Amino acid sequence: MVKVVVWGSLKPHTGGKAELEIEATNVRELLNRLGDAYPGLKPQLARGVSVAIDGVIFRDGWHEPLRKESEVFLLPRMVGG
Amino acid sequence: MSAIHVTTKINGDVVDYVCEADETLLDVLRNRLGLTGAKEGCSTGDCGACSVTIDGRLTCSCLVLGVEAEGCEIDTIEGMADGEALHPLQRKFLEHAALQCGICTPGILVAAKALLDTNPEPTETEVRFGLAGNLCRCTGYDKIVRAVMDAAQEMRRA
Amino acid sequence: MPLDSTPQDKRAFKVVGTRPLRPDGIDKVTGRAKFGADATAPGMLVGRILRSPHAHARIKKIDTAKAERLPGVKAIVTRADFPDHTNGDAALFDILYNIMAREKALYEGHAVAAVAAVDAHTAREALKLIKVDYEVLPHVTDVDEAMKPNAPVLHNTILTDGVEPKPRKPSNIVRRYEFGHGDVEAGFRRADIVVERTFKTEATHQGYIEPHACLANVGPDGQGELWVCTQGHFMVRDTCARLLGMDISKLRVTASEIGGGFGGKTTVFIEPVALALSRKANRPVKVVMSRDEVFKASGPTASTSIDVKIGVTKDGRITAADATLRYQGGAFAGSPVEFGAMSAFACYDLENVRAIGYDVVTNRPKQAAYRAPGAPMAAFAVESVIEELAHKVGMAGIDFRIKNAAHEGTKSSYGPTYGPIGLLPTLERAKQHPHFKAPLGPNQGRGMACGFWFNFGGQTCVSLNVNSDGTVALSVGTPDIGGSRASMCLMAAEELGIPYDKVRAIVADTSSLGYNDVTDGSRVTFATGMATIHAARDATRKLCARAAQIWGIPEEAVTWEKGHARPAGPNAGNFPPMSLAEVAAQAGATGGPIAGHYEYSADGAGVSFATHICDAEVDPETGATRIVRYTVLQDAGKAVHPSYVEGQFQGGAVQGIGWALNEEYIYGKDGRLQNAGFLDYRIPVCSDLPMIDTVILEIPNPGHPYGVRGVGETSIVPPLAAIANAVSAAAGVRLTSLPMSPPRILAALEQQNAKRIAAE
Ligand code: FES
Ligand code: FES
C-alpha cells in the first residue's frame, strides 16, 4: 500500500478524499489502479499527470519504484517554455 | 507586372538584377540573390534584422525598394569578414557570447559597424542608442554592448 | 543551509565550466546560418494563409472557386482538407481546430483557408478572391468578463471540470484546480496582519525575432520532408503526421537554426497547412508568417486576474496564504493556470496554504508556452503582497523572505517535500550583494522578488560516433536555441577526456535518431546533457574493450582515464596508455565503427530558484519608468558554459522588464488586436536598459551526474514582481496592474494624490 495525495480539484472524482491508499509497487501500477479504483480520474490520467516521489517529480517513468513510506503526489503533467 | 533592371554594387562586386516595382530590397537580397544573411523580423522597419548599409548609411532593407538601389553601393553581413579574417566585431561577438539564437546578429553587426565607422570611441550610452533600432529578444543586450565596446577598443588600438 | 552548500565529492572539471566559442558561431556572425525562412527548393511555391477578421464568427460557407481559377494558383486548402483523424484526443483536436478554423472562427487571425501559388503576388491576389460567408457572433476577450454567467460562450462542450456538482450549462470556465494543505481559515485567524489584493496582468508574446517559417515537400506517395524552425522537430513530425493521417515514418523533419522560441515554438501552426498545400499541389511549398500573423495567430501567454491574501504574525511569520488565479488561454482549453497555482507560494515554508486556479477560454489566439508558463504572473501577485507585508511588520523585504523561505524538508505549496534547494543561498547572497547597499537617487526605488520553477527532463536520444582520427561526431535531437551545442560538446569532451574542439555536435533530423521531446522546460542542458554523458560512457566502454582486444587482456582489466585506455592495475599488464585516436584508428580491424548511444526518459530535473534585485526610477511628471540597476542571482546546479547561463539569466530578466513595463496585447471593442507590430507592441530595446548583473550559484542537482539544473525559465519568474516592488517604492503607491505603462502609473499617482487631499 502506498499513500498518494491528489490535488484538490480531483476530489470530486475520489469521493471527496485527497489522500488515497493504493496497492502499487511502481508508477505504472499506481496509475492503472488509480484509474480502476476511481474511474472519474481517467480523463485526467489520459490528459497526462506527473508523479512526485519523495520530492522528485517524474513526468515519465512507469517503473519508478514506490515504497510503503514513499511520499507520493499526483500532479498535473509538467510543461515548459 | 513587368520586371525592372537594376545595377548595383553589393559587397564590392557589381551585381545586376531584375525585380518587380513593388519588391523590397530585402526580398531581392534574400529571394533573388541568395543573400539570406539579412533577416525579416517585421517588414515594417521596427526590428533591424534586415539592416544593410546603402552608400555607407545604415538602412532597414525592408523599407527600401529593390529598384531604389540603382547605382548604389550596398554592404551586407556577407561582406563583413575579409576572407578568412573575421571583422573584430564578429570575433568579439563570439568571444563575449553576444548571441544566443543569432537571428538578430547579422543586423546588429551591420548596425554596430555603422556606429563604429562614425564614432570609433562610443560610450556605453552611445552604443545603446546606436543599437536601439535592432531588437534582440534573447540576450538582454548586456553581452552585445560589451562586445561592441571591446571591439571598438581593439579597433582603436590597431 | 550554509552558503556554500556543496557535496563532499564536488568534482573537479577539466572543460565543463569553461567558456569556449560555440561551434555554430562563425555561421551566425557571417550570415551563413540557415534559419526557417532561408531555405528554398526547386519549383517552390509560396503559401499564404487567409485569416478571420472577426473575433468570433460562424463560418457558413467558404467559396474558393474564383481563387482556383486565378492563373498561378496551384492549391487551396480549407477545413474540408483537414478531416478529423484525432480519434477523441481532445488536445490534438484543439490543435487541428487552431491551425484551420472549422465551424467557427474563434479569434481574429484564426486561419480559414490557405493558398499555394507561383509567387507571393499571386498568392496574395488569390486570398482576396476567396469568399467567406461569416455570421458574426458576440465575443469576449477579458478573463473576468468571460467568467460571467451571461458571457458569450465559445464552446458549448465546456462543462467546468473540478467543481461539485458538475455544471450542466456550458461556460467558458474549462477547469478548476486546487492545491495546498493545512487550514487556511484557521491560519488567518492566527494572523495579526492580513493583506489582500487583486492583481491583473496583460497577455504578452514571446516575441522571438524570427517569425514561424517552414518549407514542406510531400509527394503523391505520401513521403514528405519538412524544414522548419521549431523547438521540437520530433513533436512537429508526430503532430503533423497525426493531423494529416500520414505515417510517421514517411515524414522526415529537419530543424533549421531557430531564431528564438521561449516556448512559442513548442507546437504547430503553419506546418500542417504547408504540408497539406504541398501534398495537394505536389510541389514544395514555403510558408512564412508575417509579424502581424505572429502576433495574431501564434501563441501569446495568458492574461490574468489574481487575488492574493496572506496573513502574518507581528514578528513576521506567515500563518496562512491563499490565492485565486484566473487565466485566459485564448480560444482553447489549456491556460497555464495550474502551474501558476502550483508555483505561486512555492518559495515559502507554509503551514496553511491554498491556491485555486481557473482555466478560462476567450476569443483570443490559443496561448502557447512562454518561459516558466504561468509562474511569472503568480509570482508578481504573491511577491507584491509579501513586500507589502514585510513593510507592515517593520521588516526589510529580504529578512522577511529569509524568515519564511522554503528549505530542504519544507512541504511545498504544491505538495511534495523539498530536497536540497537553492532558495536561501540566493537570498543570503542577495543580502550581501553590493547592489543591496548602494544608495538610491531621487525618484528611485528598490525592489526584490524570488521566483521558482519546476524544470523537467523528458524523452531524449543521443548518438555519439568516434571517427578514425579520434574526433567525435555527436548527434542530438533537441534544437539548439541558445548555445546548447557548445554545452553538449563540453560534456562529451569532459567525459571522453579529449579537447572541446575535437567534438562536433549537430541537431540530427527525425529519421536519424529516436524521439526527442521538445527543447523546453529548461531541459536540454540537463536531459540531453545527461544523455550525452551516458552516450560518451557507452563509447568509452567500447573503446576499453577494443584496447583490451589489442593488448590481449580481459575487458575488465582496462579503464578509461584522461582520454586514454589504460590497464586497470599492475596485474592487468604493462601497456602504454592508448589515446582515443589510437584506439579509433584500429576500429576497422577490432570490430568496426565505435559509437555510443543513449536513450531514456529523463527525470529528476530538480526545481530551481532565483532572487532578483531591481532599482527603478519613475518620472512623476510623465509616469515613465527606467530600470537603473538590475541583479539576477540564480542557482544553476552546475554552469556548464557560464556565458550562456549568464545569457539565460539576462535574457529572462529583460523579457520580464518588457512584460512589467511595456508589453501588452491591446484589444478594441471589436475584439481585434490593436497593436500587432513591434512599433506598438514594444519589447525592450538596448537604450531602455542597464547592464544586467548576474550571480551564478552552484548547488548541485543530485539528479544529474555533473549537478546540472535547468536555467532557462526561472529567470523570467521574479522580474515582474521585483520591478513592481521597485516602481511602487519609487512612486510611493502600490501598482497592481501590468504593464506599468506611463498612463497606468500616472493614474495611480493621481489617485494617491486625490486620497491624500481628501484626507487632509
Ligand atoms: S525586417 Fe526590416 S526592420 Fe524588421
Ligand atoms: S540572439 Fe536571439 S534575438 Fe538576439
Side-chain angles (χ1 to χ4, degrees):
Chain A
M1 280 291 190
V2 292
K3 246 190 286 168
V4 54
V5 183
V6 302
W7 69 88
S9 34
L10 294 183
K11 282 194 286 188
H13 306 301
T14 59
K17 285 184 294 183
E19 223 179 85
L20 313 172
E21 299 244 348
I22 298 285
E23 190 70 57
T25 58
N26 63 27
V27 170
R28 181 188 192 179
E29 287 176 14
L30 173 73
L31 297 180
N32 284 342
R33 291 181 189 160
L34 267 177
D36 291 343
Y38 305 100
L41 291 179
K42 277 192 175 153
Q44 179 62 46
L45 294 171
R47 262 198 305 280
V49 291
S50 305
V51 178
I53 307 168
D54 297 325
V56 180
I57 301 175
F58 295 87
R59 222 173 55 135
D60 303 294
W62 274 1
H63 297 292
E64 218 46 58
L66 299 173
R67 283 165 300 114
K68 204 169 143 305
E69 58 290 358
S70 298
E71 182 205 68
V72 184
F73 281 83
L74 204 64
L75 297 172
R77 188 167 171 81
M78 295 294 150
V79 300
Chain B
M1 255 194 279
S2 58
I4 298 162
H5 179 267
V6 178
T7 303
T8 58
K9 215 179 220 187
I10 300 181
N11 299 327
D13 298 325
V14 176
V15 175
D16 286 87
Y17 57 82
V18 288
C19 68
E20 305 287 343
D22 63 353
E23 213 172 317
T24 65
L25 176 60
L26 178 61
D27 283 342
V28 170
L29 291 172
R30 290 180 53 84
N31 301 341
R32 294 190 185 264
L33 304 177
L35 294 170
T36 54
K39 306 296 178 192
E40 180 171 314
C42 68
S43 80
T44 50
D46 299 312
C47 77
C50 63
S51 296
V52 300
T53 57
I54 301 181
D55 295 334
R57 254 191 73 188
L58 181 64
T59 308
C60 292
S61 61
C62 70
L63 295 182
V64 178
L65 292 174
V67 294
E68 290 181 273
E70 172 65 40
C72 294
E73 286 192 25
I74 299 166
D75 285 296
T76 72
I77 186 66
E78 285 90 348
M80 190 176 272
D82 182 9
E84 268 193 316
L86 294 181
H87 187 279
L89 276 164
Q90 292 173 309
R91 222 169 354 89
K92 290 298 174 191
F93 264 57
L94 293 179
E95 282 171 23
H96 285 267
L99 50 139
Q100 279 173 35
C101 78
I103 191 88
C104 66
T105 310
I108 292 192
L109 285 168
V110 168
K113 180 166 177 295
L115 170 70
L116 299 190
D117 283 347
T118 52
N119 179 0
E121 205 173 342
T123 62
E124 183 196 326
T125 307
E126 285 167 341
V127 170
R128 288 191 176 275
F129 279 90
L131 298 179
N134 292 79
L135 300 180
C136 172
R137 191 59 157 173
C138 297
T139 63
Y141 305 101
D142 182 296
K143 292 181 188 301
I144 292 175
V145 172
R146 287 176 206 275
V148 173
M149 309 265 308
D150 193 10
Q153 198 184 26
E154 183 184 298
M155 287 162 72
R156 286 198 301 277
R157 272 202 306 262
Chain C
M1 192 184 294
L3 191 58
D4 56 349
S5 130
T6 46
Q8 300 301 301
D9 57 345
K10 179 155 187 179
R11 83 179 259 179
F13 292 99
K14 272 195 83 163
V15 287
V16 160
T18 62
R19 304 176 183 238
L21 302 189
R22 60 196 281 166
D24 53 327
I26 302 278
D27 280 352
K28 285 191 171 156
V29 298
T30 55
R32 286 207 295 269
K34 277 181 84 178
F35 289 86
D38 297 340
T40 56
M44 182 176 86
L45 302 173
V46 176
R48 281 274 196 291
I49 296 174
L50 183 70
R51 297 183 180 278
S52 166
H54 306 296
H56 195 192
R58 194 169 307 285
I59 301 172
K60 291 180 11 200
K61 192 164 177 262
I62 304 174
D63 181 358
T64 58
K66 252 190 163 164
E68 272 159 39
R69 286 198 296 273
L70 184 72
V73 171
K74 301 294 174 191
I76 298 181
V77 294
T78 65
R79 57 192 176 185
D81 297 274
F82 294 90
D84 181 4
H85 297 294
T86 61
N87 261 329
D89 181 334
L92 190 66
F93 182 78
D94 285 352
I95 295 173
L96 178 68
Y97 202 152
N98 191 45
I99 58 130
M100 189 62 68
R102 301 180 87 80
E103 68 199 88
K104 294 201 287 184
L106 293 167
Y107 55 91
E108 185 216 4
H110 202 164
V112 293
V115 168
V118 288
D119 56 31
H121 192 80
T122 312
R124 268 199 306 272
E125 287 307 306
L127 290 189
K128 289 186 208 153
L129 296 176
I130 297 176
K131 268 193 63 88
V132 185
D133 192 2
Y134 293 104
E135 175 197 337
V136 178
L137 302 169
H139 64 269
V140 61
T141 54
D142 178 79
V143 62
D144 292 322
E145 292 298 321
M147 290 177 77
K148 291 187 176 157
N150 55 352
V153 169
L154 272 77
H155 304 276
N156 53 23
T157 47
I158 293 181
L159 302 169
T160 313
D161 190 29
V163 295
E164 198 71 81
K166 194 165 173 84
R168 283 209 292 266
K169 214 176 127 236
S171 74
N172 295 321
I173 306 169
V174 181
R175 191 165 290 122
R176 176 183 179 278
Y177 289 94
E178 185 181 330
F179 300 94
H181 57 256
D183 181 342
V184 186
E185 277 72 31
F188 282 120
R189 281 196 296 276
R190 278 195 4 247
D192 296 311
I193 302 165
V194 174
V195 168
E196 187 171 5
R197 280 194 184 274
T198 296
F199 299 85
K200 280 207 103 163
T201 70
E202 295 299 342
T204 56
H205 196 276
Q206 297 82 350
Y208 32 82
I209 306 301
E210 178 195 33
H212 298 267
C214 69
L215 171 56
N217 195 354
V218 190
D221 59 355
Q223 308 239 35
E225 304 274 334
L226 184 69
W227 161 271
V228 57
C229 64
T230 176
Q231 289 175 243
H233 46 313
F234 291 88
M235 171 278 298
V236 169
R237 178 195 63 180
D238 289 15
T239 310
C240 289
R242 290 179 66 194
L243 291 178
L244 297 170
M246 297 168 74
D247 286 348
I248 286 179
S249 66
K250 287 198 176 145
L251 181 58
R252 182 170 72 128
V253 182
T254 307
S256 70
E257 293 296 333
I258 172 171
F262 315 109
K265 291 176 183 167
T266 58
T267 182
V268 297
F269 299 104
I270 54 174
E271 297 81 358
V273 178
L275 286 164
L277 283 170
S278 172
R279 186 165 64 179
K280 208 163 177 180
N282 193 15
R283 299 259 295 262
V285 176
K286 178 152 127 183
V287 178
V288 181
M289 274 197 190
S290 67
R291 180 56 55 182
D292 181 80
E293 289 178 288
V294 171
F295 275 113
K296 286 180 179 164
S298 72
T301 186
S303 68
T304 73
S305 158
I306 304 172
D307 308 325
V308 174
K309 181 177 172 189
I310 304 177
V312 290
T313 58
K314 279 196 293 280
D315 63 344
R317 197 51 218 169
I318 299 175
T319 59
D322 195 7
T324 303
L325 306 96
R326 298 165 292 269
Y327 286 25
Q328 69 73 28
F332 299 92
S335 80
V337 72
E338 69 266 47
F339 302 105
M342 286 165 74
S343 66
F345 296 111
C347 290
Y348 297 99
D349 181 20
L350 302 169
E351 215 176 299
N352 306 298
V353 57
R354 177 172 63 195
I356 294 169
Y358 292 98
D359 177 17
V360 181
V361 294
T362 65
N363 294 111
R364 296 192 187 209
K366 183 181 192 327
Q367 71 89 35
Y370 182 14
R371 229 173 181 160
M377 312 78 144
F380 160 61
V382 168
E383 289 290 296
S384 294
V385 172
I386 290 283
E387 188 76 16
E388 203 174 336
L389 276 168
H391 297 172
K392 286 223 157 110
V393 296
M395 286 174 80
I398 183 126
D399 295 323
F400 183 74
R401 287 180 175 86
I402 289 174
K403 183 157 191 174
N404 290 287
H407 47 77
E408 184 164 0
T410 292
K411 185 172 169 53
S412 69
S413 59
Y414 56 92
T417 305
Y418 288 126
I421 54 171
L423 175 60
L424 271 169
T426 71
L427 281 165
E428 306 273 5
R429 185 69 80 83
K431 195 174 170 181
Q432 292 162 14
H433 197 279
H435 185 168
F436 237 103
K437 292 164 205 125
L440 286 166
N443 298 321
Q444 293 183 356
R446 178 163 300 145
M448 67 165 299
C450 301
F452 160 90
W453 185 243
F454 297 97
N455 301 329
F456 61 78
Q459 294 186 66
T460 311
C461 177
V462 160
S463 252
L464 182 151
N465 292 303
V466 178
N467 303 317
S468 59
D469 62 353
T471 61
V472 166
L474 179 66
S475 299
V476 300
T478 37
D480 177 353
I481 202 156
S484 63
R485 273 166 292 190
S487 304
M488 296 311 127
C489 292
L490 279 167
M491 285 186 263
E494 182 78 44
E495 211 47 53
L496 296 169
I498 59 175
Y500 165 79
D501 62 2
K502 296 293 179 205
V503 186
R504 177 157 192 227
I506 61 146
V507 178
D509 67 58
T510 55
S511 298
S512 315
L513 277 181
Y515 185 88
N516 277 268
D517 271 330
V518 171
T519 294
D520 69 352
S522 308
R523 73 178 212 87
V524 168
T525 312
F526 169 76
T528 310
M530 187 147 53
T532 298
I533 291 167
H534 285 299
R537 288 181 184 170
D538 186 32
T540 54
R541 267 192 302 276
K542 292 173 186 164
L543 287 159
C544 287
R546 302 297 176 91
Q549 232 188 80
I550 293 167
W551 291 329
I553 62 175
E555 274 180 48
E556 313 79 66
V558 182
T559 61
W560 191 263
E561 227 185 278
K562 297 197 186 112
H564 290 75
R566 296 165 199 270
N571 296 341
N574 191 10
F575 303 99
M578 280 182 86
S579 71
L580 186 110
E582 285 165 330
V583 182
Q586 309 295 332
T590 58
I594 301 170
H597 302 283
Y598 200 69
E599 54 273 328
Y600 72 145
S601 278
D603 273 308
V607 299
S608 126
F609 292 88
T611 296
H612 289 198
I613 316 168
C614 168
D615 294 354
E617 184 176 310
V618 177
D619 183 336
E621 305 283 303
T622 62
T625 300
R626 202 163 57 88
I627 305 298
V628 288
R629 185 164 181 183
Y630 202 100
T631 305
V632 178
L633 304 100
Q634 188 178 319
D635 172 18
K638 171 71 201 168
V640 175
H641 192 307
S643 298
Y644 291 108
V645 172
E646 291 160 6
Q648 289 295 324
F649 290 5
Q650 292 164 333
V654 168
Q655 282 186 319
I657 290 173
W659 196 338
L661 296 180
N662 309 314
E663 296 178 32
E664 64 179 312
Y665 266 49
I666 301 171
Y667 280 91
K669 283 214 162 32
D670 55 2
R672 293 186 179 141
L673 184 61
Q674 306 289 294
N675 59 335
F678 278 140
L679 187 60
D680 299 313
Y681 181 99
R682 193 170 181 287
I683 74 172
V685 303
C686 198
S687 53
D688 293 341
L689 298 164
M691 291 297 187
I692 308 292
D693 296 330
T694 56
V695 177
I696 302 175
L697 282 87
E698 296 189 330
I699 295 131
N701 171 15
H704 186 281
Y706 295 172
V708 169
R709 288 176 203 270
V711 296
E713 294 176 287
T714 310
S715 56
I716 203 171
V717 182
L720 313 188
I723 297 158
N725 287 335
V727 169
S728 299
V733 52
R734 173 64 44 193
L735 275 301
T736 55
S737 285
L738 298 187
M740 295 174 287
S741 52
R744 284 213 175 98
I745 290 186
L746 281 182
L749 286 172
E750 266 158 36
Q751 226 181 0
Q752 171 96 335
N753 277 340
K755 254 198 235 159
R756 216 186 30 233
I757 290 164
E760 273 163 14

